[in-house]
Amino acid sequence: MAELKELRENLIKRSEELRKAMNITLGDTAAPGYMGRCAVEDITRRPINEEYFRQLAPEYNAFAEKVREILAETPEFDRGIPITEENLWLWGGPTPQWGGSMQPDTLVRNAKYYNASNGVYVYGRTSEEMIALHSGMKKLLAMVTTTCRAPGQQPETDAECAEKLSLLSLKYPNIKGGMMDDMTSGSLSVTPEKIEQVATVSKNLKKHNPALELFGVVYCHELGKKDFTGIQPYLDGVNLWHWYQEELLDLEKNVDLYRANFPGKKILMGLFLHDYGTADAGAMPELLIHQLKGARKLLAEGKINGLVILGDREILKWPEQAAAVKGFLGAN
């Protein structure tokens, strides 16, 4: 693992150098040919950097080769149970950021690619018009906080947004709850102010429909560094994510750590096609398959309740990664 650590540090250093030289915002990179794919599939998207990944290749390939060596020595997961329409979710919504689509129904359109019946609707407004566009999805979680919201798309407070979703759920029964994106990632600890925010959002979300559930995004690297005790009573589940793709090598250990930090809560495991933390580029397909195999086992053991793919925008950004995931799901 010492060699992997060194290769990882080299990759991160090179990524930072390139992003600074090319003036790239985090998440604004794609595989070459991106705008050509957009011209055919989705003309609402703005250009993002396609050259970065070419120049990152030497450091990325060295890192990836070592990860492949480790994976080759890692025991296979037990078969588990299939990832089905019942437990598969797609994360998405209209946003001009990160290579996103501005099609209002982008989540619905792209869920078909993975045969996903459930959606986590984010970025756009929490309005009847937008919720109606997603009414055909079997189960829907919707964004209820301003964090990571697309510019100008939440004119109300978080409390008001949560209550609005509560009211809409009475008319649209596929709404199953709300999602707090990057719930605790903005600070080094879970502050009293954060506890109060989560409590208020939870209360308002359930005000008109007590059956609704509140989920919050938590990252693997936050575990062991923050005390989540104060927000536990107000959450029904967490959406766990591995910000650094190599963390997936310890997938089962990380899920057990999540379960210890959030005892008795539902867990939706997130799958990033874009590796934000280490490379700011497409994740290794081999690691994605490793995660999918692990997800089957964890579903069978009742340690997770579903898999969330992020997201609708990545299908055109990283077609190799998207196709690898789609192929696995079709065959699993």
Side-chain angles (χ1 to χ4, degrees), residues 209-222:
N209 186 352
L212 294 183
E213 297 180 321
L214 180 62
F215 284 77
V217 166
V218 178
Y219 295 97
C220 181
H221 60 266
E222 296 183 87

Side-chain angles (χ1 to χ4, degrees), residues 150-188:
Q153 294 304 295
Q154 185 179 310
E156 64 273 285
T157 66
D158 291 349
E160 291 168 339
C161 185
E163 184 173 357
K164 182 188 291 186
L165 186 64
S166 186
L167 282 167
L168 286 168
S169 74
L170 302 179
K171 182 174 181 180
Y172 299 94
N174 68 322
I175 298 175
K176 301 303 179 184
M179 177 67 73
M180 296 183 70
D181 196 3
D182 285 6
M183 179 177 62
T184 56
S185 63
S187 61
L188 297 176

Side-chain angles (χ1 to χ4, degrees), residues 149-281:
R149 182 85 68 162
Q153 294 304 295
Q154 185 179 310
E156 64 273 285
T157 66
D158 291 349
E160 291 168 339
C161 185
E163 184 173 357
K164 182 188 291 186
L165 186 64
S166 186
L167 282 167
L168 286 168
S169 74
L170 302 179
K171 182 174 181 180
Y172 299 94
N174 68 322
I175 298 175
K176 301 303 179 184
M179 177 67 73
M180 296 183 70
D181 196 3
D182 285 6
M183 179 177 62
T184 56
S185 63
S187 61
L188 297 176
S189 63
V190 181
T191 63
E193 292 78 15
K194 176 58 64 175
I195 295 171
E196 182 179 0
Q197 180 203 21
V198 177
T200 300
V201 168
S202 177
K203 177 182 176 181
N204 282 31
L205 179 67
K206 298 170 185 288
K207 185 172 183 178
H208 304 283
N209 186 352
L212 294 183
E213 297 180 321
L214 180 62
F215 284 77
V217 166
V218 178
Y219 295 97
C220 181
H221 60 266
E222 296 183 87
L223 303 176
K225 299 178 181 177
K226 299 179 181 180
D227 180 4
F228 296 99
T229 306
I231 61 174
Q232 286 176 3
Y234 311 110
L235 291 172
D236 299 285
V238 290
N239 189 186
L240 64 92
W241 297 89
H242 294 78
W243 187 251
Y244 305 96
Q245 63 173 316
E246 66 276 5
E247 292 173 329
L248 292 169
L249 294 169
D250 295 314
L251 181 63
E252 287 189 278
K253 185 188 300 184
N254 295 336
V255 170
D256 285 341
L257 191 54
Y258 268 102
R259 289 168 58 81
N261 277 264
F262 296 95
K265 305 301 180 182
K266 292 182 178 180
I267 295 180
L268 298 175
M269 184 166 70
L271 183 148
F272 275 133
L273 299 177
H274 185 114
D275 166 37
Y276 287 90
T278 304
D280 196 14

